Every structure is written in C-alpha cells, then in structure tokens.
Amino acid sequence: MPPSLEQELPVYTHPAFRIDKAAALALLRERAFGVFIVPTEEAPFAVHVPFLVDVGDDGALRVELHVARANPIHTFIGGGCKALLVCQGPDAYLSPDWYGVTNQVPTWTYTAIHLKGTARVLPEANNLRHVDRLSGFFEKRLLPKMPWSRSKMDEAKRSAMVKAIVSIAIDVESVDAQMKFIQHKGETEHRGAINGLRARGYL
C-alpha cells in the first residue's frame, strides 16, 4: 500500500507563528492556488493547481480542484486516499542588518497552510459545474470586466474541455497554518524589517 502522508510529510508549526482556522480560511481564499500531493509506492506525486474552499454546516472544510486527465496523479487516488494540499502566501528573506540591533541571524518570513484529508475523484458529470464555479471565483477579481463564461465556447470545445479534466475533492481533516512574521521579536526589529522590505519593494 502507498505510504501514509501523515507519516512521511509532517509539518512543524512554531506556537508563536500559528494562526487560527478563520485566518487560514481567509488566506486560502485569497491565494486559491497550491500544491496538491498524494502518496505513491515510489514517492509523493505533486501538481500545482488552483482550488476552491467550501465550509460545511458543521464547519468542516472541503477543497475542490481539477487536474488534466493526462496527468496520472488522479489514478493514484483510486477509491480515495490521504492527500496534502500546501498553500503558500507572501515570503521574503530578512537580513539581520535590518533589525537595528546586534547579534541577530538571517531568517525567512512567510505564510503557509497545510491541509490534510482524504481525496476522491468526482464524477465526470461534476466537471462542468466545477469549471463554472472556479472560473466564476477568479473572474470576479477582474471586475468591472464582463465575466467570462462557458457560453463563449461552442459545444464541441466545451465538451472537449469537460472530458480533458478530472475534478477532485478533498475532505479536510486537519489544518496546519502559520504566519512567520518574526512575532517573537521586539518593535525595533519589526520596524527595521519592515523598512528593509519596503526599501526592496516588497511592501
């Protein structure tokens, strides 16, 4: 059997950097792009994908994404398998020289969320609705542009698109989220890091 992702791909979250589920959900919806990983007999298999996140009545998260049918990752899912979705936000190198205090070390500031759960392949009948929801989500960001819709495609092209993808759902079982913004340092260091990043055009 394929190895367990829980055993092979743990994530360390420093208590000072951990963020709650609400903040994680906001970041997931802001980024809506990540790395989907499933186990195989040889090694984890990964693909970079946009995704949607839904919240059930019970508060549980459900992720929906798709891959090209030509991508073999969906064949490793079978009737369902453990999976990991990694979503990363902004990141940057922090130079110790920026802090304004001595005896500091280099570090990296970043935001990251790891979602673990069970992935399953959805019926092909779901593909059209999935594309509508996914494109609609991103098209809203382009307003006031008139949103694109599949009505702009002819039937042959639309049918080919539906058959060329495989939609996948992940029932999320755990959320590990962190924002490493040097929360453990003082105001002087914070102001120095902000000024350093601003000078580099990151802020």
Side-chain angles (χ1 to χ4, degrees):
M1 294 181 63
S4 166
L5 280 173
E6 283 87 345
Q7 295 173 349
E8 295 237 332
L9 297 172
V11 56
Y12 169 68
T13 304
H14 191 289
F17 308 143
R18 187 174 292 122
I19 59 175
D20 62 22
K21 186 176 178 180
L25 180 60
L27 180 59
L28 287 167
R29 286 177 167 164
E30 176 187 347
R31 294 292 296 152
F33 188 81
V35 183
F36 174 55
I37 307 164
V38 300
T40 74
E41 292 290 351
E42 295 183 357
F45 197 102
V47 61
H48 298 255
V49 291
F51 60 80
L52 295 169
V53 183
D54 298 310
V55 182
D57 294 336
D58 59 355
L61 300 185
R62 179 179 181 272
V63 172
E64 193 170 299
L65 54 93
H66 73 273
V67 299
R69 190 170 295 278
N71 189 325
I73 192 169
H74 66 90
T75 65
F76 300 125
I77 296 174
C81 76
K82 294 299 182 182
L84 175 68
L85 181 71
V86 178
C87 178
Q88 187 169 331
D91 68 279
Y93 170 74
L94 298 182
S95 170
D97 294 333
W98 294 345
Y99 291 143
V101 296
T102 60
N103 203 31
Q104 299 294 307
V105 298
T107 192
W108 206 272
T109 180
Y110 63 88
T111 58
I113 301 173
H114 288 206
L115 303 179
K116 291 179 183 176
T118 300
R120 52 194 170 85
V121 173
L122 298 173
E124 186 176 304
N126 180 77
N127 289 358
L128 203 54
R129 177 176 176 273
H130 168 75
V131 170
D132 285 345
R133 293 184 65 223
L134 190 66
S135 61
F137 177 81
F138 289 107
E139 285 288 327
K140 284 182 180 178
R141 298 183 175 186
L142 304 180
L143 292 173
K145 182 188 86 68
M146 183 67 70
W148 176 91
S149 74
R150 56 185 165 88
S151 64
K152 295 184 176 181
M153 306 168 66
D154 61 38
E155 180 58 37
K157 184 68 173 180
R158 186 162 54 243
S159 177
M161 173 189 70
V162 170
K163 294 181 181 301
I165 66 172
V166 175
S167 51
I168 297 166
I170 308 171
D171 296 314
V172 178
E173 296 155 9
S174 69
V175 179
D176 294 301
Q178 58 185 316
M179 290 185 176
K180 185 176 181 289
F181 290 165
I182 59 172
Q183 295 93 321
H184 58 306
K185 293 188 179 294
E187 183 176 353
T188 298
E189 293 95 317
H190 281 166
R191 290 185 181 277
I194 290 170
N195 290 336
L197 291 171
R198 186 171 288 138
R200 298 290 297 170
Y202 291 127
L203 298 176

